Amino acid sequence: MTVPVFRFAPSSNGALHLGHAYSAMLNYRLARKADGRFLLRIEDIDTSRCSPEREQAIYRDLEWLGIEWELPVRRQSDHFEDYRAALDRLEDANLIYPSFMTRGDLRAFIAEAEAEGTLWPRDPDGAPLFPSLDRERSPSERKRLIANGAPFAWRLDIENACAALGHGIDWDEEGAGPQGQTGLIPADPRAWGDVVIARKETPTSYHLAVTVDDAVQGITHVVRGRDLFFATAVHRLIQELMGLPVPRYHHHALIRDLDGRKLSKSQGDTGIAALRQAGATPADIARMVGLDEVT
Ligand code: GLU
């Protein structure tokens, strides 16, 4: 029998809050219950917002919570070559293209399209789908723009990618989606349009790095917040395109603040370090997020 492998994968762009504590503790408890392994991964591809100090603060908070993880920790910024190799494969298969539209261009384009009265389609997070303009550029035009130093991002050609696959995909959901979806979930990557798969200076995006890393680390159980439920469709598509193993997924409830809002990194009063300094114990944190004390 294969040993179950769980992971907690925070981004080191801010401090851990109660939502992270819940995710980390839940993963850790599930791993122990299953006699499995528990790994930690630092998602720091955005090197402008992530820092070694923030990474150290994450270790301190997790240690204080009583969580133990295997060493070495996988730090994404140490593995850009892995993501570049994956990106090269997608490029060789003609499944990605450089997009040159800036945020401003995109806003203006959507506003103009919507001024004519039709609502532009949105992805599951509510962002407008990327228009086809850049996808339709000729190879010579792309070359010229890149040679001129135009900034660009690599996007997945979602229609081509789904066509290359030629069959539907799904995943095994052991938690639940926002509408209580559970069991075998049909994946709908088209709902996201042409997602960003890498940036000009960074050979990856969240979607690519998370998928490559879950495979490299042999993760069998992805336990994470329900806000990533629909994004799983993109991860499943990348797994299929690259022949990667498929973990089980468990999307858990999100911890909300008293007003029902999602917690953010800037909300000091729900930060683990702030709660610790205010005298809370790890058992208090477990109770606050609805986990009982005993693992
Ligand atoms: N790094 C992501 C976050 O902090 C989580 C990624 C994942 O668990 O798949 O939201």
Side-chain angles (χ1 to χ4, degrees):
M1 237 200 52
T2 53
V3 178
V5 187
F6 292 73
R7 60 28 167 215
F8 175 56
S11 162
S12 52
N13 63 4
L16 297 192
H17 54 54
L18 281 175
H20 296 106
Y22 175 57
S23 200
M25 288 164 118
L26 181 64
N27 262 292
Y28 186 56
R29 288 167 185 223
L30 289 172
R32 295 210 355 190
K33 217 164 98 185
D35 279 328
R37 299 169 58 201
F38 175 77
L39 309 183
L40 179 62
R41 179 163 81 227
I42 298 293
E43 304 215 325
D44 63 344
I45 56 173
D46 182 356
T47 48
S48 67
R49 290 168 65 215
C50 297
S51 71
E53 293 73 31
R54 288 178 162 167
E55 186 180 316
Q56 291 305 320
I58 290 176
Y59 299 147
R60 263 199 310 279
D61 287 350
L62 292 176
E63 239 164 55
W64 177 73
L65 285 171
I67 290 173
E68 289 167 19
W69 57 91
E70 289 182 22
L71 295 174
V73 169
R74 184 171 170 94
R75 184 187 296 116
Q76 291 189 323
S77 61
D78 291 338
H79 297 280
F80 282 151
E81 282 319 303
D82 288 0
Y83 313 131
R84 191 178 299 282
L87 192 66
D88 287 347
R89 280 182 58 191
L90 294 172
E91 189 181 6
D92 290 346
N94 241 329
L95 297 178
I96 57 174
Y97 64 87
S99 66
F100 302 93
M101 265 184 146
T102 62
R103 268 174 225 263
D105 294 341
L106 190 59
R107 249 196 314 274
F109 181 91
I110 306 294
E112 197 177 317
E114 294 197 330
E116 285 158 27
T118 35
L119 203 64
W120 190 263
R122 299 290 202 271
D123 71 21
D125 284 348
L129 295 194
F130 195 70
S132 59
L133 233 65
D134 280 320
R135 192 194 320 130
E136 287 158 4
R137 287 185 203 281
S138 67
S140 60
E141 198 184 350
R142 282 177 187 154
K143 246 194 219 133
R144 184 178 53 76
L145 284 164
I146 292 175
N148 286 347
F152 65 90
W154 290 102
R155 286 180 182 267
L156 189 61
D157 182 333
I158 210 90
E159 285 302 327
N160 257 357
C162 290
L165 209 60
H167 60 83
I169 40 176
D170 46 36
W171 79 87
D172 199 2
E173 176 63 48
E174 296 183 341
Q179 288 90 37
Q181 305 94 316
T182 191
L184 202 63
I185 310 291
D188 181 16
R190 283 193 179 87
W192 291 95
D194 293 352
V195 287
V196 171
I197 210 83
R199 313 247 167 218
K200 186 181 171 205
E201 314 295 347
T202 313
T204 188
S205 68
Y206 160 65
H207 293 308
L208 186 62
V210 82
T211 310
V212 167
D213 282 352
D214 283 339
V216 168
Q217 295 192 287
I219 304 299
T220 58
H221 292 69
V222 172
V223 179
R224 61 185 178 191
R226 202 160 284 166
D227 50 340
L228 293 168
F229 178 81
F230 290 111
T232 307
V234 177
H235 309 162
R236 284 289 298 109
L237 175 61
I238 298 172
Q239 284 159 1
E240 291 293 312
L241 292 171
M242 313 220 354
L244 302 176
V246 186
R248 296 179 191 189
Y249 288 89
H250 175 146
H251 291 93
H252 61 68
L254 298 175
I255 305 291
R256 309 247 166 211
D257 69 8
L258 291 176
D259 300 321
R261 280 183 308 240
K262 216 177 118 176
L263 301 182
S264 81
K265 308 227 171 195
S266 53
Q267 283 164 333
D269 51 344
T270 58
I272 302 305
L275 288 163
R276 178 168 70 239
Q277 277 144 27
T281 66
D284 292 333
I285 305 287
R287 267 194 301 274
M288 286 169 86
V289 296
L291 289 168
D292 50 30
E293 262 173 71
V294 208
T295 39

